[in-house]
Amino acid sequence: MNRPGIGLAACMTVLAALWTTAGRAQDAAEKEIEKYRAMISDPMSNPGYLAVDRGEALWREKRGAKGVSLEGCDLGLGAGKLDGAFAKLPRYFKDADRVMDLEQRLLWCMQNLQELDTKDVVARRFSGPGRQSDMEDLVAFIANKSNGMKIDIPLSHPKEQEAAAVGEEMFYRRGGVNDFSCATCHAEDGKRIRLQGLPNFAKPGQAPRETMASWPTYRVSQGALRTMQHRLWDCYRQQRWPIPEYGSDGITALTVFLQKQAAGGEINVPSIKR
Amino acid sequence: MKRIIAPALLGIALSVPAVAGAAAQTAAKPVDPALVDKFLASTFGKAPAEWQARIQPDETLQACNKFRNDVPSAEAEKITAREMARVVYPADGKLLGDWKQGRKIANDGRGNQFSDPPTIASGGNCYACHQMEASELSYGTLGPSLTNYGKDRKFDPEEIKRTWARVYDSQSQVACSNMPRFGANKVLTEAQIRDIIAFLFDPESSINK
């Protein structure tokens, strides 16, 4: 796999410093980020590719009571078939009788195939200082195997249709002390909060396509690869809602709805963002 | 906000039966609320009771959710009347506080996030959605510009009173407004709202310069 170039870390420190300065500097920072993004959008230097490498090793590692690797895990296209699997997730899995996103499915395979106690894996669902995340790494590796393919989730099974419909309801459900829903921030074109642009997910099209096709992403401001589970966790935080349960059916339903709006988006991940 | 106007759709459906079928197909299939609740419970069911209560929609939000904010006019009138009844004006009649303090509150986006310490005083975060002082370039666009707000309204006491109601409970003015009901939902205290109203209406305030 491709390694980021030397000197990148220094460059990132400078940019991180730029981001932490007051609001007005953000405009200038945005321009710098554009240049920077162009510079490192090539896999040779995007640090997200380190996660891809680690994820590949984890995928092949024998773990759990069964002492087997995840290579026997069926992500929807057959056991061990990775190419294009991410482009069709979330989807219904007969063995689990549930609609699952990639992270739920990986946990299921760890529990059922490897008989791995996933408590620790879930505790490390989001990486932090001195704490790597198996899930972030695995998602980076697997999602990367759908590059160049178009988002195309199956919506024929009644449970897939149900998830899409519930996800749409959740998108519009207002609540919390600020009465916010996803739609408060993501249902009109060209809006922003402070200086941050807000993609409109209320209608299918370019905004949902470009967004969903660019996750997982390496977040420079957080110095970490992040998955959609983390993005929605962060948005519910801004929504002033309670902490959403990781890998829950509600988060997957929302993801199904977003993927439906994003159908046709060409995947290019891990991307790199602010 | 661009939304499909329900009565218009209905009119077409009634007059041209052939189109009604097509319209029904494209309209979102109604989802059993109990099913949505089940999914919500899977995601938020382990949160502390106090947090669970926060996401239970009151009567007003139930209507906004049902119509995705595009409530029919009869429902809209019920909402504005109900929310107007919740607006509390200061007992001493003093609506203007310290505008400099108000500016701080307008800039403060902290409070009520699960990552915030529960004891922290909440800010108004007005800049997330509104342009305010002309000199501040980092502002959001979910709401209209409030630059020169008081000056444009000639510092009129009636406007000040109406704006108090707007900030205290936005839905007293606009049914299903996307703006938080700061006073009614106890996000901001009376003293904080007073300072914010001063930020908007004090002739000395940087918003009016």
Side-chain angles (χ1 to χ4, degrees), chain A residues 125 233 236 241-246, chain B residues 43-47 51 114-115:
Chain A
R125 61 199 178 281
W233 173 89
Y236 269 125
W241 278 44
I243 300 175
E245 185 81 8
Y246 179 73
Chain B
T43 301
F44 302 105
K46 287 185 191 158
W51 278 91
F114 58 65
S115 54

Side-chain angles (χ1 to χ4, degrees), chain A residues 24 162 168-169 172-174 176-177 179 188 191-194 237 240-243 245 248-250, chain B residues 1 36 42-44 46 54 65 68-69 107 109 112 114-115 127-128 138-141 176-177 181 185:
Chain A
R24 217 151 306 151
E162 179 183 284
E168 182 170 347
E169 285 298 308
Y172 289 98
R173 168 82 68 131
R174 299 179 64 177
V177 292
D179 297 336
E188 277 188 87
K191 292 291 175 184
R192 44 174 233 251
I193 280 200
R194 288 278 184 165
R237 186 177 67 84
R240 274 73 174 175
W241 278 44
I243 300 175
E245 185 81 8
S248 62
D249 291 339
Chain B
M1 215 162 273
V36 180
S42 81
T43 301
F44 302 105
K46 287 185 191 158
R54 290 186 192 180
N65 286 340
R68 294 192 180 165
N69 293 337
N107 265 301
N112 294 313
F114 58 65
S115 54
Y127 270 110
S138 172
Y139 61 86
T141 57
C176 300
S177 165
R181 296 173 285 177
N185 278 355

Side-chain angles (χ1 to χ4, degrees), chain A residues 151 208-215 259 262 265-269 271:
Chain A
I151 295 170
R209 266 185 229 130
E210 279 175 6
T211 302
M212 297 306 283
S214 62
W215 283 81
Q259 288 284 72
E266 192 178 311
I267 297 170
N268 185 10
V269 292
S271 70

Side-chain angles (χ1 to χ4, degrees), chain B residues 67-85:
Chain B
F67 295 99
R68 294 192 180 165
N69 293 337
D70 192 19
V71 282
S73 53
E75 190 69 45
E77 278 165 33
K78 271 197 247 170
I79 290 173
T80 48
R82 183 191 302 129
E83 300 301 322
M84 197 62 208

Side-chain angles (χ1 to χ4, degrees), chain B residues 25-156:
Chain B
Q25 261 181 12
T26 48
K29 248 196 279 167
V31 186
D32 181 359
L35 184 68
V36 180
D37 286 343
K38 204 180 95 187
F39 276 75
L40 284 171
S42 81
T43 301
F44 302 105
K46 287 185 191 158
E50 188 219 333
W51 278 91
Q52 302 263 2
R54 290 186 192 180
I55 57 169
Q56 282 309 314
D58 61 11
E59 212 179 337
T60 293
L61 280 199
Q62 274 173 32
C64 299
N65 286 340
K66 181 169 165 200
F67 295 99
R68 294 192 180 165
N69 293 337
D70 192 19
V71 282
S73 53
E75 190 69 45
E77 278 165 33
K78 271 197 247 170
I79 290 173
T80 48
R82 183 191 302 129
E83 300 301 322
M84 197 62 208
R86 300 176 69 188
V87 175
V88 179
Y89 296 92
D92 61 4
K94 226 181 130 249
L95 302 185
L96 299 185
D98 174 354
W99 71 264
K100 286 185 183 155
Q101 208 48 43
R103 178 172 64 182
K104 272 193 208 147
I105 298 164
N107 265 301
D108 185 354
R110 290 173 306 170
N112 294 313
Q113 303 185 116
F114 58 65
S115 54
D116 289 324
T119 50
I120 203 172
S122 183
N125 208 12
C126 318
Y127 270 110
C129 299
H130 293 287
Q131 179 173 32
M132 300 184 98
E133 297 153 289
S135 60
E136 176 57 76
L137 301 178
S138 172
Y139 61 86
T141 57
L142 288 170
S145 170
L146 305 176
T147 307
N148 288 325
Y149 198 76
K151 194 158 122 195
D152 286 353
R153 282 157 188 75
K154 305 197 165 50
F155 309 107
D156 175 4

Side-chain angles (χ1 to χ4, degrees), chain A residues 29 100 118 200 211:
Chain A
M100 294 169 141
T118 53
N200 176 2
T211 302

